[in-house]
Amino acid sequence: MPGNTPIAASKPPKRTSMARSRLSQFRKYKVLYIISLPGLLYFIVFKYIPLLGSAMAFQDYNIFNGFSGSPWVGLEHFRRMFEYSEFLRILKNTVLIGVYDLIFAFPVPIILAILLNEMRVVLFKRVLQTVVYMPHFLSWVIIGGIAIGILSPSTGLVNSMLESLGLDSIYFLGEESYIRSILVGSGIWKDSGWGTIVYLAALAGINPELYEAARIDGANRWKQISKITIPAILPTVVIMFLLHIGNFLDFGFERVFVFLNPLNENSGDIMDTYIYRVGLIQQQYSYTTAIGLFKSVVGLGLIMIGNTLSKKATGSGLY
């Protein structure tokens, strides 16, 4: 009978159950969310909101008219960028220095971390770690001053050694042929020790029983490194490599600016110093914004290509 028909229990809407699930997850991990807020705010304020300023690359921007009052010029600044012989020279310098840094500087922290990991005298290991970490905490102004003092043609340590061997002194910072080597070499000295931290953490996660089994099988120290250590840290190396090539054209302003002078800037001037000189000093904001956007697009493209190749070759990547 209609009066005796049981009423089916109503189910809560699907959206309501999902909302409750999300609320429970938030309550469970609320401390982590709260801790992450400063980092999120940092990226929103200093990374994402400034992206709106990229519109200047497509405008003839005037600081008095603002974004809304400045006329749109489309890709005019990008066309102008590749027509300037000066920009092509700057691009060549940036690419060459980036390639040198990738070839010579990137492997150094890996090799240094493996060497530190192989040390058995703990006290000596700790002291050496502290020594190689210390240059990272010095500013590039101090690093530049030290390098200039060491390479001085009159009182520098290097030229004193050359003169003691009967050779002529060399004005390293006054010749174009040396500036790229100086830039890459100073970066290795400053940051290679700090870069070992990530690799040492990866090495600490290797199971010691693997080395014990290898020693029982008669593997020497080199075999243990090549068959156990390097394969174990390879995923970390791949991730760091992808992050490195993402900043391929972003070599750093301070790192170069402290070494530049009129005698070596033809081979040492890079995009960052060019943007400073043309954008801030000469106030060509739209043109240098186009250069900055070009750098970002190239970096994004390199990360995507490198990540795809890495996943196919090693099975690991950034995403």
Side-chain angles (χ1 to χ4, degrees), residues 208-220 224 228:
E209 294 180 358
L210 295 175
Y211 293 105
E212 294 177 5
R215 283 194 294 267
I216 293 173
D217 291 338
N220 56 23
Q224 294 175 34
I228 300 175

Side-chain angles (χ1 to χ4, degrees), residues 11 21 37 46 58 139 145 165 183-184 209 250 252 273 282:
K11 295 182 179 180
S21 176
L37 279 178
F46 295 103
F58 308 97
S139 69
L165 296 174
L183 293 174
V184 175
E209 294 180 358
D250 191 15
T273 53
Q282 300 180 14

Side-chain angles (χ1 to χ4, degrees), residues 107-121 124-125 128-129 196 199-200 203 221-222 225 229 233:
V108 173
I110 304 171
I111 298 171
L112 188 57
I114 294 175
L115 293 176
L116 288 171
N117 187 64
E118 292 297 316
M119 289 184 178
R120 297 295 177 259
V121 181
F124 181 71
K125 179 180 178 180
L128 187 58
Q129 280 182 282
T196 61
Y199 300 109
L200 287 173
L203 291 170
R221 189 66 65 84
W222 169 247
I225 293 174
T229 304
I233 66 172

Side-chain angles (χ1 to χ4, degrees), residues 15-64:
R15 292 183 179 178
T16 304
S17 60
M18 291 178 62
R20 289 177 180 175
S21 176
R22 291 176 180 174
L23 183 60
S24 63
Q25 288 290 324
F26 176 78
R27 289 174 178 173
K28 183 178 181 180
Y29 300 106
K30 63 179 180 180
V31 176
L32 294 178
Y33 287 122
I34 293 173
I35 293 175
S36 65
L37 279 178
L40 291 174
L41 290 174
Y42 168 79
F43 279 98
I44 291 172
V45 174
F46 295 103
K47 300 296 181 179
Y48 289 102
I49 293 179
L51 287 176
L52 299 174
S54 299
M56 282 194 295
F58 308 97
Q59 293 179 309
D60 188 7
Y61 181 75
N62 186 293
I63 59 174
F64 300 104

